[in-house]
């Protein structure tokens, strides 16, 4: 049995049409754009912008966002080509199965489970924190023992359970709720931008790129792997700070890849998936750049509060009521992020179960709703328990390394599939092959090297556990094993 056996694109397409695994096709390009914006725009737009400007880039953070967007666009184009060529649930997992082989597909699927399960749990806890702030601003309070950071984070558990029920009822129904929340989130973001313009002082943009400064180096497990291996000394501000800022805010864009997991529920995937992936990325880039221009113009970068820069920027101008508006926007924003990550995670497991790499019983589709209800229930229980009972804040970087590893293999996989199957119809093609996919893979690998040694060690442990499951269970039970 070969661990490098590949699953033909034609077989992946045929599997998606089997009656017991067939999902309901109901999504349009607009649904996918809303889906992408819903998962990308989260609390980061209210917090990450100020922290990056204050700590590493100054007003030049807007250039960091542009640079990060360009990097993401390279990976997005690779996803768009794959999604239009292999419009099947599973995203990077399915793409790798068709190009690189089963072992790589398993690694990516295993990483995506980590990304989406842990990501949904972390964001659910963040949602609980913002809900507590919003309630306090409105004159209410959540008891400490059952609120954010308490013995049991009840609000995050309730959120996950409600969203799990909604996802079970149907993808279209889920995205209707998502559309309302995304509209509310965008309204708040645009309102903040427009309201903040009147407080901008051009003096705060000077210097636009502050002089470079040496920073205190970290040691041990908390230092970046690149620093540990090559002895690279970190610095802030200057053009190096702009690059460091791009590495930091890159993670504000993570999530557009989740759009590809809805391929089997899209009415015209060959056309609509590239539009959804690239369209959502463009909208998010514009909003991030606008917010960064406003917040660094309202308050000098060295006086920004790294923890709540946007809210405190308005407080500095005597507009305390804006903190309530921003909290409401964050609550709506994080709801859509949890929703889309749970949908994405359930679809990846669905694809892996249908291929028998995980128990096939998990892939059972509800006869009425045409959704993978068993998997959705599993995802809901796991995410709710992790969010409600576990202090997962220290594991946030695990979401990033799982995502970036998927980006690397998708970028390489596009090259391999283009070479192995040039005959496949592609409604979208990555331009300037093979340069752009190689640049995309190199950038994502560089960003992975900037994550801490501690994160890499945890990642290795997760991979080792995945290999134990694969060689102990999945390899012999795979659908493709019958043909080898």
């Amino acid at each position: 049995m070969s661990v490098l056996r590949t699953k033909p694109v034609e077989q992946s397409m045929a599997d998606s049409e089997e009656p017991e695994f067939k999902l309901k096709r109901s999504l349009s390009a607009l649904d996918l754009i809303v889906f992408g914006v819903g998962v990308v725009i989260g609390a980061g737009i209210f917090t990450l912008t100020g922290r990056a400007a204050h700590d590493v880039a100054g007003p030049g953070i807007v250039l960091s966002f542009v640079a990060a967007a360009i990097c993401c666009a390279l990976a997005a184009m690779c996803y768009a080509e794959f999604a239009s060529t292999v419009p099947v649930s599973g995203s990077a997992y399915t793409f790798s199965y068709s190009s690189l082989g089963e072992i790589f597909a398993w690694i990516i699927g295993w990483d995506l489970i980590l990304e989406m399960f842990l990501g949904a749990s972390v964001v659910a806890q963040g949602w609980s924190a913002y809900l507590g702030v919003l309630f306090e601003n409105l004159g209410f309070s959540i008891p400490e023992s059952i609120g954010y950071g308490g013995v049991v984070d009840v609000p995050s558990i309730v959120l996950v359970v409600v969203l799990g029920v909604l996802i079970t009822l149907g993808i279209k129904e889920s995205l209707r709720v998502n559309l309302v929340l995304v509209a509310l989130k965008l309204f708040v973001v645009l309102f903040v931008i427009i309201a903040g313009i009147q407080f901008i002082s051009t003096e705060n943009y000077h210097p636009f790129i502050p002089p470079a400064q040496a920073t205190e180096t970290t040691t041990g497990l908390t230092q970046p792997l690149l620093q540990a291996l090559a002895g690279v000394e970190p610095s802030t501000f200057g053009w190096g700070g702009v690059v460091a800022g791009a590495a930091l805010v890159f993670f504000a864009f993570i999530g557009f890849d989740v759009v590809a997991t809805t391929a089997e529920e899209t009415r015209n995937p060959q056309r609509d998936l590239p539009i959804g992936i690239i369209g959502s990325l463009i909208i998010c880039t514009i909003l991030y750049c606008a917010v960064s221009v406003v917040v660094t113009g309202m308050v000098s970068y060295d006086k920004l509060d790294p923890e709540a820069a946007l809210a405190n920027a308005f407080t500095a101008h005597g507009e305390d009521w804006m903190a309530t508006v921003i909290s409401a926007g964050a609550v709506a924003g994080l709801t859509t992020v949890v929703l889309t990550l749970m949908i994405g995670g359930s679809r990846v497991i669905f694809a892996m179960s249908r291929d028998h790499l995980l128990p096939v019983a998990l892939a059972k589709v509800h006869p009425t709703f045409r959704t993978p209800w068993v998997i959705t229930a599993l995802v809901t229980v796991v995410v709710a328990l992790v969010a409600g009972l576990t202090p997962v804040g220290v594991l946030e970087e695990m979401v990033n390394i799982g995502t970036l590893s998927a980006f690397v293999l998708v970028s390489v996989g596009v090259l391999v599939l283009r070479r192995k199957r040039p005959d496949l119809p592609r409604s979208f093609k990555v331009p300037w092959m093979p340069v752009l996919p190689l640049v995309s893979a190199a950038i994502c690998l560089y960003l992975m090297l900037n994550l801490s040694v501690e994160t890499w060690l945890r990642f290795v442990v997760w991979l080792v556990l995945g290999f134990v499951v694969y060689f102990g269970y999945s390899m012999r039970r795979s659908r493709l094993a019958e043909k080898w």
Side-chain angles (χ1 to χ4, degrees), residues 24-240:
K24 183 179 179 182
R25 292 190 181 273
S26 58
L27 304 182
S28 65
L30 177 61
D31 291 323
L32 298 180
I33 291 175
V34 172
F35 190 77
V37 172
V39 71
V40 174
I41 300 290
I45 200 167
F46 302 111
T47 57
L48 185 60
T49 302
R51 183 163 74 247
H54 179 272
D55 293 343
V56 297
I61 189 62
V62 66
L63 300 179
S64 300
F65 272 112
V66 172
I70 293 173
C71 297
C72 286
L74 299 179
M77 285 190 286
C78 296
Y79 268 89
E81 175 169 328
F82 254 134
S84 65
T85 309
V86 193
V88 178
S89 284
S91 184
Y93 158 75
T94 301
F95 306 157
S96 299
Y97 214 162
S98 300
S99 56
L100 300 176
E102 186 173 274
I103 187 65
F104 291 102
W106 170 262
I107 293 171
I108 286 301
W110 193 246
D111 288 349
L112 289 176
I113 291 173
L114 173 71
E115 171 199 348
M116 295 179 188
F117 272 52
L118 193 57
S121 301
V122 170
V123 176
Q125 287 197 332
W127 179 91
S128 176
Y130 272 99
L131 183 69
V133 173
L134 178 60
F135 276 16
E136 287 179 6
N137 292 337
L138 295 176
F140 305 97
S141 63
I142 298 174
E144 290 186 8
S145 60
I146 60 170
Y148 174 72
V151 178
V152 180
D153 191 341
V154 173
S156 66
I157 293 176
V158 172
L159 171 69
V160 172
V161 171
V162 170
L163 294 181
V165 172
L166 181 62
I167 294 169
T168 301
L169 293 177
I171 186 73
K172 189 68 175 179
E173 290 73 16
S174 300
L175 292 191
R176 284 188 185 128
V177 174
N178 192 57
L179 176 60
V180 174
L181 293 173
V182 169
L184 174 60
K185 173 168 57 176
L186 293 182
F187 171 79
V188 171
V189 171
L190 292 173
F191 180 74
V192 165
I193 292 170
I194 295 170
I197 289 175
Q198 61 182 312
F199 301 114
I200 289 178
S201 172
T202 55
E203 293 180 359
N204 292 325
Y205 294 132
H206 300 288
F208 189 73
I209 300 178
Q213 301 176 10
T215 61
E216 184 178 348
T217 59
T218 56
T219 57
L221 296 180
T222 59
Q223 65 180 320
L225 182 63
L226 186 62
Q227 179 182 323
L229 296 177
V232 177
E233 295 296 328
S235 64
T236 58
F237 305 113
W239 283 104

Side-chain angles (χ1 to χ4, degrees), residues 237-255:
F237 305 113
W239 283 104
V242 171
V243 175
L248 180 61
V249 303
F250 177 89
F251 304 119
F253 290 96
I254 285 178

Side-chain angles (χ1 to χ4, degrees), residues 316 333 375 461:
I375 292 174
V461 171

